[in-house]
Amino acid sequence: MISEKMIGFVKNSSIIRAMFEEGKRLDEIYGAENVYDFSLGNPSVEPPLNIKEALISVLNEEEPNLVHGYMNNSGYIDVREKIALSLNKKFNTNLSHENIVMTVGAAGGLNVILKSLLNPGDEVVTFAPFFGEYRNYVSNYDGILVVVPPNCETFQPNLNEFEKRITGKTKAVIVNSPNNPTGVVYSEDTIRKLAEILNKKQQEYNTSIYLISDEPYRELVYDNTEVPYLTKYYKNTIVVYSYSKSLSLPGERIGYLVIPSETDDYEDLVAAANVATRILGFVNAPSLIQRAVARCLDVQVDVEVYNRNRELLYNSLMSYGYECVKPQGAFYLFVKALEEDDKKFAQAAKKYNILIVPGSSFDCPGYVRIAYCVDYDMIKRSLPGFKNLARDYGRLKD
Amino acid sequence: MISEKMIGFVKNSSIIRAMFEEGKRLDEIYGAENVYDFSLGNPSVEPPLNIKEALISVLNEEEPNLVHGYMNNSGYIDVREKIALSLNKKFNTNLSHENIVMTVGAAGGLNVILKSLLNPGDEVVTFAPFFGEYRNYVSNYDGILVVVPPNCETFQPNLNEFEKRITGKTKAVIVNSPNNPTGVVYSEDTIRKLAEILNKKQQEYNTSIYLISDEPYRELVYDNTEVPYLTKYYKNTIVVYSYSKSLSLPGERIGYLVIPSETDDYEDLVAAANVATRILGFVNAPSLIQRAVARCLDVQVDVEVYNRNRELLYNSLMSYGYECVKPQGAFYLFVKALEEDDKKFAQAAKKYNILIVPGSSFDCPGYVRIAYCVDYDMIKRSLPGFKNLARDYGRLKD
């Protein structure tokens, strides 16, 4: 009796459930400390203590009917203004509260902006490998996701293939840097070229093409890598941000959209985002946590914890003969599978109680994603397993 | 450049914005204390102190990564189990956590269940007058909203007209009791008859018709009125609940769905609701507030405050010659306009700085909604205006 569109999802969700049950089964047989679950992108670092302090201060200092009450669908004006000023300081932008729409995380933000933009049949381009949910978000509004094949040398976007895929129906392009699942940060050079192509195509087709920058991992970067702020390179950029990773608050569902005043149709776009927030049933981003993050705009989790994990896992895997582009951000390694079929390879890893996600889930077969947002000690305990796995595939001779 | 579907919404939202600006303009001319805004359903009673205490206790006592982290898309199992047990105690139901899906308020819950159920062209029946957003929620999934005309004598549902409107395409029926905008509570007799019709039609068409009970106002009732729990009267009932009104937390976006095990296709329906929560971008209901409300299941706002407002406003308006079914719940009076055109009447009320919403917004022209979730003193100050308005229409001779 459920919707036909949902039937496939339900089937798929029972596969995920089966994987989850398999993990629990392994836990029971071998003990949880001997099972190495690298499958989830759930932040392992605790939220900064400032968040707890901010929440309690808001509760003690502000009016309860303000803290827990309705506000504009786009969020509290004072919160949005503080976020705008903080962005201006960091990125030398020129934003005000009128450019910010508070959202239920980045997933909420992506749905709001796609609902605002898409007519049925409109095309949204993205680059493999990509977060699999993009496909569902675009499908929610009867858009068509157009996938640019990966550049597996560097995992920078493949711009030649990109250019070929833009048509008169292209309404938006989604980029995600630092990237899930590769951890790669798109270089300034890449961004400039991407903007050039978009400008050329907008002229060619006489359309507006919105560049949607999904950046929940912006603050999780290593080796002083710079993540370019895309509004400065391309006029029709919309930023989708979330505090899920930078403040380890994924359950709280808090983030925002940046819609700069210079975007085409700016006023309609902001009004549409406001309405979409309402009618999709979000109504507004949760209120208390809006007010709390506004007090923590200069705070972030301790990235060094993830960096230690990265170094240990990357260096160890390299020494065992694995291949991987060293990630500059996020908390994932995207490693070449040691056989052609990534699903079989992920299955083989289970022999050593290692749980990893096949690259096929990100439209990039032949690779696996290893999420290192886990305990450092778990990584250490897992290393003999990774070593034996490499040995099984003849990568390691000793 | 925005979506065609959104263009109408944006136009409409600028009308609402204009109304809001008009309110501010009146505030500036006459002073806020001389403007009587009865247009919003924003709870005026503060959340119970228990909520603040529960939030702080959760922050002090529970693991931060649990409190702010990802959980199952349906919500924390322990929270859902507590809610199920609390419902069992109150309504003698037989629910467990497997029947509860935590949602981003009732608006989120309605979107999740409609996304789960509707194929394009499926029909959803509701009774005028109704919360105008139902139209948008159904349209989000390309369903068709079928409206049963009002029974203006009692504002109980018009069951003869209802029966005529059920077809083989009817997938769901939405009821809302205590009702926005009338404040009427559907009687047990009404519910029994409604269930009888639904059972007959399910047999006739060999379909499943889901009864969606949207009940954010359940706890706001007066004169010891009983609100029947619909799962006990009709097998295919899904309850949509929100803490927005019972705990004055509308900004927090917290509620839940009840999907009883005996509903047709129960397992697929629960799985679909879980997936819909994820792909619509909610991901999960906000986490900290989930854990806090679970500690406050026997708590509610002081309904007596609304009751005093109700008595003052209802008795005063009656004495001035207005007509209205006395509400047994929620915080609205639905009053017959003193001229045929409810929009003109709402406009006329502005002469006395009284802001009210035309019934046309609820598919019930000829009436106006007066939200009495406001300060008692504001109601007192507004009464001369209501009196003069009645006098203008020749209702009052003195």
Side-chain angles (χ1 to χ4, degrees):
Chain A
M1 300 301 166
I2 62 168
S3 147
E4 278 160 33
K5 246 188 171 181
M6 296 301 282
I7 290 170
F9 287 128
V10 165
K11 197 175 156 197
N12 190 42
S13 85
S14 57
I15 296 170
I16 292 169
R17 197 189 167 92
M19 276 174 61
F20 180 75
E21 298 294 335
E22 170 74 1
K24 281 208 300 190
R25 197 183 64 85
L26 292 175
D27 279 6
E28 271 166 32
I29 299 174
Y30 301 103
E33 74 284 5
N34 301 313
V35 177
Y36 315 112
D37 190 346
F38 294 97
S39 68
L40 296 175
N42 201 1
S44 53
V45 178
E46 282 195 0
L49 204 58
N50 313 56
I51 281 291
K52 177 179 164 180
E53 291 165 358
L55 284 162
I56 292 175
S57 300
V58 170
L59 290 168
N60 282 327
E61 294 163 16
E62 303 188 20
E63 283 293 318
N65 277 354
L66 171 83
V67 171
H68 305 294
Y70 284 125
M71 83 289 313
N72 187 300
N73 298 119
S74 294
Y76 294 106
I77 291 178
D78 63 328
V79 169
R80 288 152 58 204
E81 190 66 23
K82 278 186 191 162
I83 289 172
L85 294 179
S86 157
L87 291 171
N88 291 346
K89 215 170 89 184
K90 281 184 201 158
F91 304 118
N92 199 22
T93 46
N94 191 20
L95 304 166
S96 82
H97 72 272
E98 296 194 326
N99 303 112
I100 308 288
V101 177
M102 302 304 296
T103 62
V104 169
L110 285 164
N111 272 278
V112 163
I113 199 64
L114 292 171
K115 169 99 178 166
S116 300
L117 287 173
L118 297 187
N119 290 314
D122 279 353
E123 292 169 5
V124 177
V125 182
T126 198
F127 299 90
F130 62 88
F131 179 46
E133 291 286 82
Y134 292 166
R135 196 175 287 287
N136 301 326
Y137 301 162
V138 170
S139 151
N140 282 340
Y141 312 103
D142 299 314
I144 292 161
L145 190 74
V146 175
V147 177
V148 180
N151 164 358
C152 296
E153 294 300 305
T154 61
F155 288 117
Q156 293 285 324
N158 188 332
L159 295 179
N160 289 334
E161 294 295 327
F162 171 59
E163 185 163 359
K164 288 186 217 158
R165 280 168 179 77
I166 300 178
T167 74
K169 298 282 277 174
T170 305
K171 195 60 161 284
V173 175
I174 306 180
V175 294
N176 172 220
S177 165
N179 185 264
N180 173 11
T182 66
V184 162
V185 174
Y186 292 1
S187 68
E188 190 175 19
D189 185 51
T190 295
I191 299 301
R192 282 194 200 286
K193 285 179 183 154
L194 187 114
E196 211 174 288
I197 294 168
L198 285 172
N199 280 321
K200 197 174 79 179
K201 291 290 177 180
Q202 284 194 139
Q203 270 203 310
E204 184 180 331
Y205 294 114
N206 193 26
T207 53
S208 298
I209 305 176
Y210 293 93
L211 177 61
I212 300 173
S213 179
D214 176 26
E215 37 189 72
Y217 299 99
R218 164 165 288 280
E219 278 79 17
L220 303 196
V221 285
Y222 314 111
D223 312 328
N224 300 313
T225 305
E226 291 272 335
V227 185
Y229 205 70
L230 301 198
T231 62
K232 295 160 72 182
Y233 297 86
Y234 180 66
K235 191 180 75 136
N236 284 329
T237 295
I238 292 161
V239 177
V240 181
Y241 186 79
S242 166
Y243 293 97
S244 292
K245 276 77 182 187
S246 62
L247 293 174
S248 285
L249 299 173
E252 299 298 349
R253 315 310 304 134
I254 184 71
Y256 59 80
L257 292 173
V258 179
I259 306 178
S261 304
E262 62 269 24
T263 50
D264 291 345
D265 259 337
Y266 158 74
E267 290 199 6
D268 278 355
L269 202 52
V270 162
N274 197 64
V275 173
T277 298
R278 206 189 79 217
I279 69 179
L280 283 173
F282 300 112
V283 180
N284 54 254
S287 51
L288 168 62
I289 195 76
Q290 276 194 53
R291 306 206 64 76
V293 296
R295 291 178 178 230
C296 299
L297 297 179
D298 292 324
V299 177
Q300 58 178 61
V301 293
D302 182 3
V303 174
E304 188 48 34
V305 178
Y306 294 129
N307 190 32
R308 278 180 72 210
N309 289 356
R310 177 184 75 129
E311 292 293 352
L312 174 64
L313 192 60
Y314 176 80
N315 292 331
S316 303
L317 294 193
M318 290 306 102
S319 76
Y320 308 152
Y322 291 88
E323 291 167 54
C324 172
V325 174
K326 189 172 187 182
Q328 298 170 289
F331 39 47
Y332 308 107
L333 291 188
F334 202 57
V335 176
K336 201 160 170 31
L338 298 183
E339 63 178 301
E340 207 173 320
D341 186 329
D342 52 311
K343 288 177 188 168
K344 278 193 189 151
F345 179 66
Q347 196 57 41
K350 275 198 198 148
K351 189 174 153 194
Y352 301 105
N353 294 343
I354 292 171
L355 306 179
I356 51 185
V357 182
S360 308
S361 305
F362 307 93
D363 258 47
C364 191
Y367 290 79
V368 289
R369 189 189 77 170
I370 307 178
Y372 57 79
C373 46
V374 295
D375 269 358
Y376 187 79
D377 284 342
M378 188 192 100
I379 299 178
K380 278 211 286 197
R381 291 196 307 272
S382 75
L383 293 178
F386 278 111
K387 198 168 185 175
N388 284 327
L389 186 63
R391 197 173 277 126
D392 292 348
Y393 285 94
R395 286 290 167 127
L396 208 62
K397 301 302 173 195
D398 66 335
Chain B
M1 299 303 165
I2 63 168
S3 148
E4 278 162 33
K5 246 188 170 181
M6 296 301 282
I7 290 171
F9 287 128
V10 165
K11 197 174 156 196
N12 191 41
S13 86
S14 57
I15 296 170
I16 292 169
R17 199 190 166 92
M19 276 174 61
F20 180 75
E21 298 294 336
E22 170 74 0
K24 282 209 298 192
R25 197 184 64 85
L26 292 176
D27 279 4
E28 271 166 33
I29 299 174
Y30 301 103
E33 74 284 4
N34 301 313
V35 178
Y36 315 112
D37 189 345
F38 293 97
S39 67
L40 296 173
N42 201 1
S44 54
V45 178
E46 283 196 359
L49 204 59
N50 314 56
I51 281 290
K52 177 178 164 180
E53 290 164 358
L55 284 162
I56 292 175
S57 300
V58 170
L59 290 167
N60 282 327
E61 295 163 15
E62 303 188 21
E63 283 293 318
N65 277 355
L66 171 83
V67 171
H68 305 295
Y70 284 125
M71 83 289 313
N72 187 300
N73 298 119
S74 294
Y76 294 106
I77 290 177
D78 63 328
V79 169
R80 288 152 57 205
E81 190 66 23
K82 277 186 194 164
I83 289 172
L85 294 179
S86 156
L87 291 172
N88 291 346
K89 214 170 89 184
K90 280 184 203 159
F91 304 116
N92 200 23
T93 45
N94 191 20
L95 305 165
S96 82
H97 71 272
E98 297 194 325
N99 304 111
I100 308 289
V101 177
M102 302 303 296
T103 61
V104 170
L110 284 164
N111 272 278
V112 163
I113 199 63
L114 292 171
K115 169 100 177 162
S116 301
L117 286 174
L118 296 187
N119 290 314
D122 279 352
E123 292 169 4
V124 177
V125 182
T126 198
F127 299 89
F130 61 89
F131 180 46
E133 292 286 82
Y134 292 166
R135 195 174 288 285
N136 301 326
Y137 300 162
V138 170
S139 150
N140 282 340
Y141 313 103
D142 299 314
I144 293 163
L145 189 74
V146 175
V147 178
V148 180
N151 165 357
C152 296
E153 294 299 306
T154 62
F155 288 117
Q156 293 285 324
N158 188 334
L159 295 179
N160 289 334
E161 294 295 328
F162 171 59
E163 185 162 359
K164 288 186 217 159
R165 280 166 179 77
I166 300 179
T167 73
K169 298 281 277 174
T170 306
K171 196 60 161 282
V173 175
I174 306 179
V175 292
N176 173 220
S177 164
N179 184 265
N180 173 11
T182 66
V184 163
V185 174
Y186 292 1
S187 68
E188 191 175 19
D189 184 51
T190 295
I191 299 302
R192 284 194 198 285
K193 286 179 183 155
L194 186 114
E196 209 174 288
I197 293 168
L198 285 172
N199 280 321
K200 197 174 81 178
K201 290 291 177 179
Q202 285 194 138
Q203 270 204 310
E204 183 179 333
Y205 294 114
N206 193 25
T207 54
S208 298
I209 305 175
Y210 293 93
L211 178 61
I212 300 173
S213 179
D214 176 27
E215 38 189 71
Y217 299 98
R218 165 165 288 280
E219 278 79 18
L220 303 195
V221 284
Y222 314 110
D223 312 328
N224 299 313
T225 304
E226 291 273 335
V227 185
Y229 205 69
L230 300 198
T231 63
K232 296 160 70 183
Y233 297 86
Y234 180 65
K235 190 180 76 136
N236 284 330
T237 295
I238 293 161
V239 177
V240 181
Y241 186 78
S242 165
Y243 293 97
S244 293
K245 276 77 183 188
S246 62
L247 293 173
S248 284
L249 300 173
E252 300 297 350
R253 314 310 304 136
I254 184 71
Y256 59 80
L257 292 173
V258 179
I259 306 178
S261 305
E262 63 269 24
T263 50
D264 292 345
D265 259 338
Y266 159 73
E267 289 199 6
D268 277 356
L269 201 53
V270 162
N274 196 63
V275 173
T277 298
R278 205 189 81 216
I279 69 179
L280 283 173
F282 299 113
V283 181
N284 54 253
S287 51
L288 168 63
I289 195 76
Q290 275 193 53
R291 305 207 64 76
V293 295
R295 292 177 178 230
C296 299
L297 296 180
D298 293 322
V299 177
Q300 59 178 61
V301 294
D302 182 3
V303 173
E304 189 47 34
V305 178
Y306 294 128
N307 191 31
R308 277 181 71 210
N309 289 356
R310 177 183 74 128
E311 293 293 350
L312 174 63
L313 192 60
Y314 175 80
N315 292 331
S316 304
L317 294 192
M318 290 306 103
S319 76
Y320 307 153
Y322 291 88
E323 291 167 54
C324 172
V325 174
K326 188 172 187 183
Q328 298 169 289
F331 39 47
Y332 308 107
L333 291 189
F334 202 57
V335 176
K336 200 160 171 32
L338 299 183
E339 63 179 300
E340 207 174 320
D341 186 330
D342 52 311
K343 289 177 186 165
K344 279 192 190 155
F345 180 65
Q347 197 57 41
K350 275 198 197 147
K351 189 175 153 193
Y352 300 105
N353 293 344
I354 292 171
L355 306 178
I356 50 185
V357 182
S360 308
S361 305
F362 308 92
D363 257 47
C364 191
Y367 290 79
V368 290
R369 189 189 76 171
I370 308 179
Y372 57 80
C373 45
V374 296
D375 271 356
Y376 187 79
D377 283 342
M378 188 192 99
I379 299 177
K380 279 210 285 199
R381 291 197 307 274
S382 75
L383 293 178
F386 278 111
K387 198 167 183 176
N388 284 327
L389 186 62
R391 199 173 276 125
D392 291 348
Y393 284 94
R395 287 290 167 127
L396 209 62
K397 301 301 172 194
D398 66 334

